[in-house]
Amino acid sequence: MTKNKVGVEIPEEYVSKHGVYEGELANINTYEESSRTIKPVKPRDEKLLDSIHDAIVKTGLKDGMTISFHHHFREGDKVLNMVMEEIANMGIKDISIAPSSIANVHAPLIDHIKNGVVTNITSSGLRDKVGAAISSGIMENPVVIRSHGGRAAAVARGDIKVDVAFLGAPSSDAYGNANGTKGKAPCGSLGYAMVDAKYADQVVIITDSLMPYPNTPISIPQTDVDYVVVVDSIGDPKGIASGATRFTKNPKELLIAEYAAKVITNSPYFKQGFSFQTGTGGSSLAVTRFIREKMLEEGITASFALGGITNAMVELLEEGLVEKIIDVQDFDAPSGLSLGRNENHYEIDANMYASALSKGSVINQLDTAILSALEIDTDFNVNVMTGSDGVIRGASGGHSDTAFASKMSMVISPIIRGRIPTIVDKVNTVITPGSSVDVVVTEVGVAINPLRQDLIEHFKDLDVPQFTIEELKEKAYAIVGNPEPIQYGDKVVAVIEYRDGTVIDVVKNV
Amino acid sequence: MTKNKVGVEIPEEYVSKHGVYEGELANINTYEESSRTIKPVKPRDEKLLDSIHDAIVKTGLKDGMTISFHHHFREGDKVLNMVMEEIANMGIKDISIAPSSIANVHAPLIDHIKNGVVTNITSSGLRDKVGAAISSGIMENPVVIRSHGGRAAAVARGDIKVDVAFLGAPSSDAYGNANGTKGKAPCGSLGYAMVDAKYADQVVIITDSLMPYPNTPISIPQTDVDYVVVVDSIGDPKGIASGATRFTKNPKELLIAEYAAKVITNSPYFKQGFSFQTGTGGSSLAVTRFIREKMLEEGITASFALGGITNAMVELLEEGLVEKIIDVQDFDAPSGLSLGRNENHYEIDANMYASALSKGSVINQLDTAILSALEIDTDFNVNVMTGSDGVIRGASGGHSDTAFASKMSMVISPIIRGRIPTIVDKVNTVITPGSSVDVVVTEVGVAINPLRQDLIEHFKDLDVPQFTIEELKEKAYAIVGNPEPIQYGDKVVAVIEYRDGTVIDVVKNV
């Protein structure tokens, strides 16, 4: 066992394989970028194949290989299940899958794992059924959890080497020029898919909307694509892109949002040309609304807004309050639509969004980011992966990436949820190290990280109740009592990589 | 000596190094893509440097390294000379330069060669003074001439490994997001620069128009850029982008254009959704005008137009006769302007434009291409590199790329220029093998390559005089007499690579 910089004991097996977390910048080194094997496509060659079966045959996919998918279709995705079913039917085994995330809709994976079709998984997240199955210990090899930036970095450095990427695309021409803004089931940005397209040896575009050549705008270019398959449906549009996200009416969420907005608008970063990222939860969206009012009041505009994009951001763009949206992923239909028609709404890939190993990601230019939490501990460490029962149900996402890179990161959360404290002595799973978290915002007030004495000084007259993180924890425990310790088993079911590829935590079976 | 497939004897030295040309598809093989060394840029790092001098210091540029430039600024370029002057002043020697092309304005290179600062050159073209100096034998190592697609392929395969790319950009933000459509001296597409940005170990953006972050549209992303330098002027806008190109009034050029247009509009490819590339010469532009009339008459629109783009193409786009322009390079101000504002005018890089080693370039989808020639021989081989005196003065460009990849390639040329025949027994330098050329169009009529019996049959009733290529040559010789053979020296001053990287010809000193 080796204790890492957040005080977590890491078993030697993973220490030797990944290294341990030693601080945000301790393992950011010069490296040789991963390359791919290219099979040139000649002038009269065609890429269009009849079926996913044919694509699997053509790519030569076989036992032991690594394949990837993207999660832009969220709970509407049909691509992963279609491809995995065909792989299973063809008798191929021992496949490593590297989707950018895994949703509830991917529950059929559980059988593929049990049948030996899937033997390794890396993902940002694992939801309900699949998460619970993994936590119960159905896999021999632990899942490797990576942040969105960490996954892009792992692909760029070759830690993840994708043999075949199966990339669903809302529209594509027969030569593989694909985008997410046209077709029957648009998802908006293809930011996560774009990374796989650049680095995978072989890329299969799976679409339900074949367009005339050349299909533009081009998110994934023909030069990254080997084959194109047309299917009846890549996904359920309702699951892919919900309607416009609505603002919360929950008083607790509104209070958190009000406090968070006060922190931002009174911070040294709130000035003409500032930049921000907010999430998609109820409080996050409300923050956006409060910031908007203050921007109008002070005559300030933001240079850009970043991240997973929602309708709330698009409205600011259209109002002229945000000059540009930089978009790696869309969370609702209006934002996908905006990407397709507004030249100031700009698509980027996950590498440019958040990779610590790139020549500079957009989050490095970010003033402030609002992030969520399942748990926050008194060292400011944040868990967004495991529930209070220790079961995997969340996603690493861009949490550790933006928390570190932005100039002021804010984690917002109620101090309790139901009968469970959110502010705790020790989080079950560390996703983001406390040294990356600047301000915790709750409905009772805020706690500023003592590492940020500059902010403590700056905010000393802020019109929001201020506490130490210990005081917030005491308030939580006072309401719901001390949480019972979780009874874990001995098996490591997930290895949590920090964004630099080192191990920041492991999750054991429950 | 080894005789290659176009009958040219290649000295063993170059045979062992590059291989010899054995046919258009003989050496297109699966390969491992070149990778780059990435120095990650951390959150608070800055990329903006005070001077080109500082960029040279920061990149660690030293004797023996390879640097690159792009030629989008044409005769207006100041970047190459600025950087080379600084390198020379700093006493750095033995530099290999890999600009996408070299213009007249780069004559100071001659001194850098003589002083040992520059010892190797690869380029698409070499104009007047520099070409003459190279032809006179001032370099110890021969220049390697590559087509636009061949250069992209060489970069992708690592035949050209760029240590530092110095890329002029009409606009950039301080983090390196650059485009060619904004700023003081716009050039339009940055298609050639985009390739270098992706593969060079280090990239320095040199701009005279620093924009607020994030600068969009993004032709070169921050993730490909290490440093940014702001200078007073990257180039002379007049030299970078001339006004709209005018149509020829030369009767000979108009006749060639009329014949070429008849070939295209009567070909099997002229139907709804066809695609084409024309050049920028007087005849080429006139062809576009004649095709336009026929499109209107027959109610046909083109799916896309490709290549070096001029105002003539932009007018067709705006008129709705061409649905999309796919743009690797702009030749005049209106086309650069159009790229910046018309979403159906789409920028691509040189790899996607023309590389034989990509997963499929756009020229593979091209129906017909119109190409120029300095000489065409009776095997249909084409020379666009050396003059009738054997001196280097031209550019390989996209000639061999589009000639092979398009479904019907047409080479247009008068049969004589002044007292010099254009149709000859044997071209001085083979750039494009005759087997790639389908139709030669002159002012006296056309010659169809006997390899294209399908076209000979299809065009048998075409209302244009038809001859064999030998007959066209006889007509030329009948007017101006047999050309005198050139007295070459023994020194190889240029190695001509075919687009697959093999040697198709060499140029000796004169």
Side-chain angles (χ1 to χ4, degrees):
Chain A
M1 296 284 222
T2 300
K3 192 181 270 191
N4 70 15
K5 186 119 190 248
V6 288
V8 175
E9 299 278 357
I10 308 297
E12 284 312 316
E13 182 180 354
Y14 311 111
V15 174
S16 57
K17 202 164 160 189
H18 304 257
V20 293
Y21 171 69
E22 296 173 300
E24 287 98 337
L25 294 175
N27 286 293
I28 305 297
N29 302 308
T30 297
Y31 66 105
E32 188 70 13
E33 193 179 22
S34 174
S35 72
R36 57 184 171 176
T37 302
I38 293 183
K39 207 163 54 176
V41 174
K42 296 166 188 169
R44 260 50 85 183
D45 293 351
E46 295 199 353
K47 296 184 181 181
L48 201 59
L49 300 178
D50 283 338
S51 65
I52 288 171
H53 177 89
D54 289 0
I56 293 170
V57 172
K58 276 279 193 181
T59 56
L61 185 72
K62 59 175 194 278
D63 295 9
M65 283 188 169
T66 299
I67 64 176
S68 78
F69 305 92
H70 66 74
H71 74 292
H72 290 286
F73 301 160
R74 282 167 290 274
E75 290 297 344
D77 181 47
K78 294 184 184 171
V79 172
L80 188 150
N81 290 344
M82 273 194 293
V83 171
M84 290 315 305
E85 190 182 343
E86 189 59 40
I87 286 173
N89 287 343
M90 290 169 73
I92 300 171
K93 302 271 182 185
D94 189 22
I95 291 294
S96 296
I97 64 167
S100 49
S101 206
I102 290 173
N104 270 321
V105 71
H106 300 131
L109 270 180
I110 296 169
D111 279 343
H112 296 312
I113 292 166
K114 289 181 176 165
N115 295 333
V117 177
V118 171
T119 51
N120 285 283
I121 297 178
T122 178
S123 175
S124 161
L126 293 163
R127 304 298 181 173
D128 306 13
K129 283 183 197 163
V130 185
I134 297 296
S135 274
S136 79
I138 62 167
M139 289 192 78
E140 192 179 321
N141 305 313
V143 170
V144 178
I145 298 295
R146 291 178 162 107
S147 73
H148 288 330
R151 180 180 189 275
V155 170
R157 193 166 55 186
D159 300 351
I160 300 174
K161 178 63 216 175
V162 177
D163 295 298
V164 187
F166 294 94
L167 303 177
S171 80
S172 175
D173 60 42
Y175 220 46
N177 294 300
N179 67 51
T181 55
K182 294 179 177 169
K184 282 192 270 185
C187 63
S189 177
L190 286 175
Y192 296 107
M194 289 157 78
V195 172
D196 296 37
K198 280 181 195 155
Y199 290 93
D201 280 348
Q202 294 188 81
V203 173
V204 179
I205 292 289
I206 299 171
T207 188
D208 54 11
S209 301
L210 191 67
M211 311 298 273
Y213 185 91
N215 183 37
T216 57
I218 299 172
S219 303
I220 296 172
Q222 61 187 50
T223 41
D224 286 343
V225 177
D226 297 86
Y227 302 108
V228 178
V229 175
V230 181
V231 296
D232 288 341
S233 168
I234 51 167
D236 172 10
K238 281 196 203 100
I240 291 177
S242 59
T245 330
R246 289 180 194 284
F247 286 110
T248 182
K249 288 180 178 168
N250 178 318
K252 206 196 265 186
E253 287 186 346
L254 283 172
L255 194 55
I256 294 171
E258 190 191 319
Y259 287 165
K262 279 188 178 169
V263 171
I264 291 175
T265 58
N266 287 288
S267 77
Y269 310 109
F270 188 70
K271 54 189 180 198
Q272 177 56 34
F274 82 113
S275 58
F276 64 105
Q277 169 169 333
T278 56
T280 58
S283 293
S284 291
L285 290 168
V287 175
T288 307
R289 172 185 277 182
F290 290 134
I291 293 176
R292 173 182 171 277
E293 284 163 16
K294 199 74 181 171
M295 289 169 78
L296 285 170
E297 201 179 306
E298 301 201 2
I300 280 176
T301 61
S303 56
F304 70 95
L306 180 65
I309 301 302
T310 62
N311 186 45
M313 286 296 183
V314 170
E315 284 175 3
L316 293 186
L317 179 71
E318 289 173 355
E319 222 176 336
L321 290 175
V322 163
E323 287 167 38
K324 288 175 186 177
I325 288 178
I326 305 296
D327 186 350
V328 71
Q329 184 180 15
D330 294 288
F331 282 101
D332 55 26
S335 57
L337 215 63
S338 165
L339 177 66
R341 71 177 177 213
N342 190 326
E343 65 169 356
N344 290 318
H345 187 156
Y346 210 85
E347 183 180 41
I348 58 165
D349 68 24
N351 182 57
M352 181 155 164
Y353 168 50
S355 170
L357 295 184
S358 75
K359 291 184 177 182
S361 52
V362 179
I363 54 173
N364 293 358
Q365 296 289 327
L366 195 59
D367 286 327
T368 178
I370 292 184
L371 300 161
S372 63
L374 290 173
E375 294 179 321
I376 306 154
D377 70 23
T378 49
D379 289 328
F380 287 87
N381 296 317
V382 180
N383 168 24
V384 283
M385 180 55 57
T386 47
S388 60
D389 53 0
V391 175
I392 297 171
R393 60 165 49 91
S396 175
H399 203 287
S400 63
D401 300 310
T402 43
F404 175 62
S406 65
K407 295 193 183 72
M408 183 177 72
S409 65
M410 303 164 65
V411 174
I412 63 172
S413 175
I415 60 166
I416 57 165
R417 288 192 178 91
R419 294 297 304 164
I420 298 162
T422 305
I423 318 285
V424 294
D425 279 317
K426 206 82 203 148
V427 291
N428 289 328
T429 309
V430 182
I431 291 293
T432 296
S435 50
S436 294
V437 174
D438 297 317
V439 186
V440 170
V441 182
T442 73
E443 75 280 24
V444 301
V446 305
I448 302 174
N449 193 323
L451 292 174
R452 292 299 301 267
Q453 288 297 321
D454 60 323
L455 290 181
I456 289 175
E457 173 63 22
H458 180 89
F459 284 126
K460 65 180 189 293
D461 299 323
L462 184 71
D463 175 28
V464 175
Q466 295 191 39
F467 303 95
T468 64
I469 190 78
E470 288 78 12
E471 287 168 340
L472 287 181
K473 183 209 76 179
E474 291 306 331
K475 284 178 183 289
Y477 284 18
I479 304 167
V480 293
N482 287 27
E484 289 291 314
I486 299 164
Q487 298 304 318
Y488 288 105
D490 291 329
K491 183 174 183 176
V492 173
V493 297
V495 173
I496 313 290
E497 274 194 6
Y498 184 62
R499 61 195 300 255
D500 63 4
T502 62
V503 184
I504 195 161
D505 209 341
V506 296
V507 180
K508 293 194 173 166
N509 65 308
V510 278
Chain B
M1 297 284 224
T2 299
K3 192 181 269 191
N4 69 14
K5 188 123 189 244
V6 289
V8 175
E9 298 278 357
I10 309 296
E12 285 310 317
E13 183 181 353
Y14 309 111
V15 174
S16 58
K17 203 164 161 191
H18 304 257
V20 293
Y21 172 70
E22 296 173 300
E24 287 98 337
L25 294 176
N27 286 295
I28 305 296
N29 302 309
T30 298
Y31 66 105
E32 189 69 14
E33 192 178 23
S34 175
S35 71
R36 57 183 170 175
T37 302
I38 293 183
K39 208 164 50 175
V41 174
K42 296 165 189 169
R44 260 52 83 182
D45 293 351
E46 296 200 352
K47 296 183 180 181
L48 201 59
L49 300 178
D50 283 338
S51 65
I52 289 172
H53 176 90
D54 288 0
I56 294 170
V57 172
K58 276 279 193 184
T59 56
L61 186 71
K62 58 174 196 279
D63 296 9
M65 283 190 169
T66 299
I67 64 176
S68 78
F69 304 92
H70 67 73
H71 74 290
H72 289 286
F73 302 158
R74 284 168 289 275
E75 290 298 344
D77 181 47
K78 293 183 184 171
V79 173
L80 188 149
N81 290 345
M82 273 193 293
V83 172
M84 290 314 305
E85 190 183 342
E86 189 58 39
I87 287 173
N89 288 343
M90 290 170 73
I92 300 171
K93 302 269 181 185
D94 190 22
I95 291 294
S96 296
I97 64 167
S100 50
S101 206
I102 291 173
N104 270 322
V105 72
H106 300 130
L109 271 180
I110 297 168
D111 280 342
H112 297 312
I113 293 166
K114 289 180 178 167
N115 295 334
V117 177
V118 171
T119 51
N120 285 284
I121 296 178
T122 180
S123 175
S124 161
L126 293 162
R127 305 296 180 173
D128 304 13
K129 282 182 196 160
V130 185
I134 297 297
S135 273
S136 78
I138 62 166
M139 289 192 77
E140 192 179 321
N141 304 315
V143 170
V144 178
I145 299 294
R146 292 178 162 108
S147 72
H148 287 329
R151 181 181 188 276
V155 170
R157 194 166 55 187
D159 301 351
I160 300 175
K161 178 64 215 173
V162 177
D163 294 299
V164 187
F166 293 94
L167 303 178
S171 80
S172 176
D173 59 42
Y175 221 46
N177 294 300
N179 66 52
T181 55
K182 293 177 178 170
K184 284 192 268 186
C187 63
S189 177
L190 285 175
Y192 296 108
M194 289 156 78
V195 172
D196 296 36
K198 281 181 196 157
Y199 291 92
D201 279 348
Q202 294 188 82
V203 173
V204 179
I205 292 288
I206 299 171
T207 189
D208 54 12
S209 302
L210 191 68
M211 311 297 274
Y213 184 91
N215 183 35
T216 57
I218 299 171
S219 303
I220 295 172
Q222 61 188 51
T223 41
D224 286 343
V225 177
D226 296 87
Y227 301 107
V228 178
V229 175
V230 181
V231 296
D232 288 339
S233 169
I234 51 168
D236 172 12
K238 283 198 201 96
I240 292 177
S242 57
T245 330
R246 291 180 192 284
F247 286 111
T248 182
K249 287 178 180 171
N250 177 319
K252 208 196 259 188
E253 288 187 345
L254 283 172
L255 194 55
I256 293 171
E258 189 190 321
Y259 287 165
K262 279 188 178 170
V263 170
I264 291 175
T265 58
N266 287 286
S267 78
Y269 309 108
F270 188 69
K271 55 190 180 199
Q272 177 55 35
F274 83 113
S275 58
F276 64 105
Q277 170 168 333
T278 56
T280 58
S283 293
S284 290
L285 291 168
V287 174
T288 307
R289 172 187 275 183
F290 290 134
I291 293 176
R292 174 183 172 276
E293 285 164 15
K294 199 74 181 175
M295 289 170 80
L296 285 170
E297 201 179 305
E298 301 200 3
I300 281 175
T301 61
S303 56
F304 71 95
L306 180 65
I309 301 301
T310 63
N311 186 45
M313 286 298 182
V314 170
E315 284 175 3
L316 293 185
L317 179 72
E318 289 174 355
E319 223 176 336
L321 290 175
V322 163
E323 288 168 37
K324 288 176 186 177
I325 289 178
I326 306 296
D327 186 350
V328 71
Q329 184 180 14
D330 293 288
F331 282 101
D332 53 25
S335 57
L337 215 63
S338 164
L339 177 65
R341 70 176 179 214
N342 190 326
E343 65 169 357
N344 291 316
H345 188 157
Y346 210 83
E347 182 181 40
I348 59 165
D349 68 23
N351 182 57
M352 181 154 165
Y353 168 50
S355 170
L357 295 184
S358 75
K359 290 184 176 182
S361 52
V362 180
I363 53 173
N364 292 358
Q365 296 288 327
L366 194 59
D367 287 326
T368 179
I370 293 183
L371 299 161
S372 64
L374 291 172
E375 294 179 321
I376 306 154
D377 70 23
T378 50
D379 289 328
F380 286 86
N381 296 317
V382 179
N383 169 23
V384 283
M385 181 54 57
T386 48
S388 61
D389 53 1
V391 175
I392 297 171
R393 60 166 48 92
S396 175
H399 204 286
S400 62
D401 300 310
T402 43
F404 175 63
S406 65
K407 295 192 183 71
M408 182 176 73
S409 65
M410 303 163 66
V411 174
I412 63 173
S413 175
I415 61 167
I416 57 166
R417 287 191 179 91
R419 296 297 304 164
I420 298 161
T422 305
I423 319 286
V424 295
D425 278 318
K426 205 81 203 148
V427 289
N428 289 329
T429 308
V430 181
I431 291 293
T432 296
S435 51
S436 293
V437 174
D438 296 318
V439 186
V440 169
V441 182
T442 73
E443 75 280 23
V444 302
V446 304
I448 302 173
N449 192 323
L451 292 173
R452 292 299 302 267
Q453 287 298 318
D454 60 323
L455 289 181
I456 290 175
E457 173 63 23
H458 181 89
F459 284 127
K460 66 181 189 292
D461 299 323
L462 184 71
D463 174 28
V464 174
Q466 295 192 41
F467 302 95
T468 65
I469 191 76
E470 286 80 11
E471 287 169 338
L472 288 182
K473 183 209 76 179
E474 290 307 330
K475 284 177 184 289
Y477 284 17
I479 303 167
V480 293
N482 288 25
E484 289 292 312
I486 298 164
Q487 298 303 319
Y488 286 107
D490 292 329
K491 183 174 184 177
V492 173
V493 298
V495 172
I496 313 290
E497 275 195 5
Y498 183 63
R499 62 196 299 255
D500 64 4
T502 63
V503 183
I504 195 163
D505 210 340
V506 295
V507 180
K508 292 193 173 164
N509 65 310
V510 278

